[in-house]
Amino acid sequence: LAVQDVAASIIITDRNGTVLATSLPTVSLCADSKSIIDPDEVARQLLGALLDLNAQKLGEDLQNGKHCSILRRHLTPRQYYEVNKLGIAGLEFLPDERRIYPVGNLAAHVVGYSDVDDNGLAGIEKSMDARLSRNSEPLALALDLRVQSILRQELEVAMNDYHAEAASGLVMDIGTGEMLGMVSLPDFDPGHPGIADDNQRFNRDTLGVYEMGSIFKIFNTALALDSGAVHLADTFKLESEPASPVI
């Protein structure tokens, strides 16, 4: 039983170097069924070491005639030790790696997530998949995790105060156009995207559709104040036009 070293994949960081995503070397357990002498006994021992294995599938994998059937991906160090000490002929440890997201939900919709083979499925993981696959240099985003954290906290407070179903927000550096923060709630843990529902995975900042009228009012008001045409203390009298007679 031997394990080869696996080079860690590219990391994704925020603008200050805080790690948002990286890959750590792991091992996966493979069975060469042609070398398994007593499948039933091997299954019994493995089920004692790896409690989450499916007994029926394990029995099939140990007798399917294949040289390599993956029994378990990404063993923990403890699981590796427990299986290794069994000393079962026909079991092999294959080099593997697992994508992890140290800040969890905090940057979920920005960073996105990948599948078990590290293929990007959403967010930066998907849009920059080719770059992440071929380049060993860290990928630094414009995102500032400090701004991201404050933005998420404020959106959570607003959701609770107004009993809202969802909330989203963006923070931009207007001098450079860089996005310092982008949050969409509800969100999810990118390390376990499979347990999140469609509503959690939906990014309202990039995929949501809104009526633009109310949004433009914010920009118009900001422009008016910035130009000095109006001031915060100014008031305006609005008169509605008389309704048209109903015929």
Side-chain angles (χ1 to χ4, degrees):
L1 301 176
V3 180
Q4 302 175 9
D5 291 333
V6 178
S9 294
I10 189 68
I11 64 174
I12 301 174
T13 73
D14 81 335
R15 66 189 304 114
N16 300 307
T18 303
V19 176
L20 306 178
T22 187
S23 294
L24 296 181
T26 63
V27 292
S28 293
L29 179 62
C30 170
D32 180 356
S33 61
K34 294 183 179 296
S35 300
I36 300 293
I37 299 175
D38 187 344
D40 292 335
E41 176 61 19
V42 171
R44 185 188 67 79
Q45 294 186 60
L46 285 177
L47 288 171
L50 304 175
L51 303 180
D52 60 343
L53 288 178
N54 181 283
Q56 180 178 346
K57 185 177 185 305
L58 176 61
E60 295 171 354
D61 288 338
L62 295 175
Q63 302 180 67
N64 60 15
K66 297 181 180 179
H67 284 292
C68 181
S69 294
I70 299 296
L71 304 182
R72 179 67 155 74
R73 298 287 301 269
H74 308 311
L75 296 179
T76 66
R78 182 66 183 178
Q79 290 171 331
Y80 169 67
Y81 171 77
E82 293 294 336
V83 175
N84 194 24
K85 76 176 183 178
L86 296 176
I88 299 173
L91 296 184
E92 300 177 4
F93 293 103
L94 303 179
D96 207 344
E97 60 180 31
R98 183 172 188 172
R99 199 69 168 158
I100 63 170
Y101 303 91
V103 300
N105 294 38
L106 186 53
H109 285 105
V110 176
V111 177
Y113 54 90
S114 58
D115 63 16
V116 71
D117 295 312
D118 283 352
N119 299 308
L121 299 180
I124 293 294
E125 291 278 33
K126 181 178 181 179
S127 64
M128 301 296 287
D129 187 59
R131 155 76 162 78
L132 293 169
S133 299
R134 68 173 184 267
N135 196 317
S136 61
E137 294 298 319
L139 176 62
L141 307 182
L143 188 80
D144 188 324
L145 200 62
R146 299 167 300 181
V147 175
Q148 182 79 358
S149 178
I150 295 171
L151 177 60
R152 188 175 187 277
Q153 290 174 15
E154 291 302 317
L155 288 176
E156 281 189 314
V157 170
M159 280 186 67
N160 292 330
D161 287 348
Y162 296 100
H163 307 288
E165 296 182 358
S168 63
L170 299 164
V171 177
M172 175 190 287
D173 182 336
I174 60 172
T176 64
E178 294 176 309
M179 301 306 304
L180 304 181
M182 184 179 78
V183 175
S184 175
L185 297 177
D187 51 22
F188 61 96
D189 181 355
H192 304 281
I195 64 176
D197 57 34
D198 292 341
N199 186 47
Q200 291 172 291
R201 290 193 296 267
F202 184 77
N203 186 350
R204 289 166 173 79
D205 285 306
T206 59
L207 301 175
V209 178
Y210 305 91
E211 290 289 343
M212 297 302 293
S214 295
I215 295 175
F216 277 123
K217 291 173 185 176
I218 298 174
F219 292 102
N220 292 339
T221 303
L223 286 169
L225 290 170
D226 188 58
S227 67
V230 298
H231 303 87
L232 289 176
D234 291 345
T235 60
F236 302 90
K237 182 179 180 181
L238 301 179
E239 296 182 359
S240 59
E241 295 182 3
S244 299
V246 178
I247 300 177

